[in-house]
Amino acid sequence: MTHPSSHTAHHGVHHAHEHEHEHEHEHEHEHEHEHEHEHDAGDQAEILDLDAEVLAEHIASITAWLPIGTSPRRIVDLGCGTGAGTLALLERFPEAELTAVDLSAAHLHRLREKAAAAGAADRVCIVRADLDATAWPDLGTPELVWASASMHHMTDPDRTLRQIHDLLAPGGLLAVVELAGFPRFLPQGAPEDAPGLEERCHVALDHHHAEQVPHRGADWGTELTEAGFTVEGERTITVDMGPPHTDAAGRYALSSLRRMRGSVASALTAEDLTAFDRLLDTDSAHSILRRIDLRVRTERTVWAARRT
């Protein structure tokens, strides 16, 4: 592929997380609403980039684990975000060309910049598309499909898995990576003015996700089998980094907690919310950035499933 190409596919169905508040606004506020989504996509892009930086070694270990015989020449990254998986796959398979698919124009723009900076722009085809649509744009016939933290956003993931099965070349591999929950950053007794705050936030966040993103944290093994795949492997990656923590890990924690606040604030007591806001206040002595005991703790599970 000597020239990167870009396609846009417009469909009527969008991921739930892209517009959870769609029906809260009237038509005359469409422009304001669109601006809010662009801002939200920008905030999420920052977290995705930090996630890629902080967890780069773990993402690489997942790509290295995949049961690949002959290296794929054609790869599709479904729900690529800002390109954490895209760049890891391009490094892992230097002869491959990759099609990166996402609905967010902001995320795809950032991915294009990162691919160019990595000298891989000519190996990446950018496709903007809604993966909840019943008909997808032409994505070729890949030998490997990568879906990291994207399947749980699908309205009908069983249908999406069948679409991926039909998309893959015979004998091709699908890698599904799922989050085991939101990352944790504080020791159990922290912060001192509200011990156990992080755990209470996670309880509230799990309740929020159960309502808004019910497939988050799913065990995809059964669904993969029912879609016609043969599951060849499953692996859980445990992340426990620091202290001491890197600057990127501190910014990752800050950005993540800022995003968490919007989902859990209504479920917290006034005292917990005050303590939470102290963690977010970068000028405060209680800021998450100033904690020497900050750790990044999370888990991710990957399934490798073959089209047979």
Side-chain angles (χ1 to χ4, degrees):
M1 185 186 306
T2 57
H3 299 286
S5 57
S6 178
H7 305 281
T8 302
H10 297 286
H11 302 286
V13 182
H14 298 272
H15 294 174
H17 73 295
E18 294 287 348
H19 62 92
E20 292 172 0
H21 309 294
E22 177 181 5
H23 301 296
E24 297 176 5
H25 301 274
E26 297 298 331
H27 178 75
E28 59 266 26
H29 296 301
E30 278 186 356
H31 179 73
E32 178 184 351
H33 188 51
E34 181 179 350
H35 176 74
E36 289 172 357
H37 279 307
E38 290 173 354
H39 178 73
D40 182 71
D43 290 345
Q44 189 180 29
E46 179 185 14
I47 294 176
L48 292 174
D49 281 351
L50 287 167
D51 185 274
E53 181 177 355
V54 173
L55 303 181
E57 179 181 337
H58 297 85
I59 297 171
S61 73
I62 292 174
T63 64
W65 168 83
L66 294 176
I68 299 291
T70 303
S71 293
R73 300 300 298 265
R74 294 160 296 181
I75 302 173
V76 171
D77 185 354
L78 292 177
C80 59
T82 62
T86 296
L87 295 179
L89 290 164
L90 290 174
E91 182 173 354
R92 170 73 173 84
F93 304 109
E95 302 300 318
E97 296 175 350
L98 186 146
T99 300
V101 188
D102 205 278
L103 181 61
S104 169
H107 291 174
L108 293 173
H109 177 74
R110 178 64 182 137
L111 185 153
R112 190 190 301 276
E113 292 179 335
K114 291 165 69 174
D122 62 342
R123 297 171 57 204
V124 179
C125 173
I126 303 292
V127 177
R128 186 182 180 204
D130 178 8
L131 295 172
D132 272 335
T134 55
W136 289 353
D138 182 8
L139 301 177
T141 309
E143 294 92 13
L144 173 62
V145 171
W146 172 271
S148 178
S150 57
M151 285 302 306
H152 61 239
H153 287 300
M154 304 302 168
T155 300
D156 186 350
D158 292 334
R159 183 185 69 194
T160 302
L161 288 175
R162 291 192 298 270
Q163 288 174 286
I164 296 172
H165 183 274
D166 294 342
L167 173 70
L168 273 166
L173 191 74
L174 166 62
V176 176
V177 184
E178 184 56 70
L179 311 177
F182 202 80
R184 284 173 162 81
F185 304 103
L186 297 173
Q188 188 172 4
E192 292 71 15
D193 51 347
L197 170 63
E198 188 170 41
E199 186 57 36
R200 292 190 292 278
C201 288
H202 276 263
V203 170
L205 189 63
D206 288 344
H207 179 73
H208 172 79
H209 283 154
E211 294 181 343
Q212 302 292 336
V213 195
H215 302 293
R216 185 182 175 101
D219 182 342
W220 293 105
T222 301
E223 286 80 357
L224 286 163
T225 300
E226 291 177 350
F229 289 95
T230 298
V231 178
E232 294 193 351
E234 176 182 339
R235 181 186 181 192
T236 297
I237 303 294
T238 299
V239 178
D240 189 348
M241 303 171 60
H245 64 81
T246 63
D247 175 66
R251 289 184 286 117
Y252 179 51
L254 179 64
S255 295
S256 298
L257 293 179
R258 282 174 173 166
R259 192 164 183 85
M260 174 192 269
R261 189 189 189 282
S263 299
V264 305
S266 62
L268 299 180
T269 65
E271 292 78 10
D272 275 352
L273 192 57
T274 297
F276 196 117
D277 286 340
R278 287 196 189 102
L279 291 171
L280 301 183
D281 183 358
T282 56
D283 294 325
S284 168
H286 300 279
S287 169
I288 189 73
L289 296 178
R290 300 178 190 274
R291 296 199 65 97
I292 61 173
D293 56 358
L294 186 154
R295 306 183 72 93
V296 178
R297 307 187 309 281
T298 188
E299 286 187 353
R300 300 186 178 187
T301 301
V302 55
W303 291 264
R306 183 85 57 189
R307 175 182 175 175
T308 53

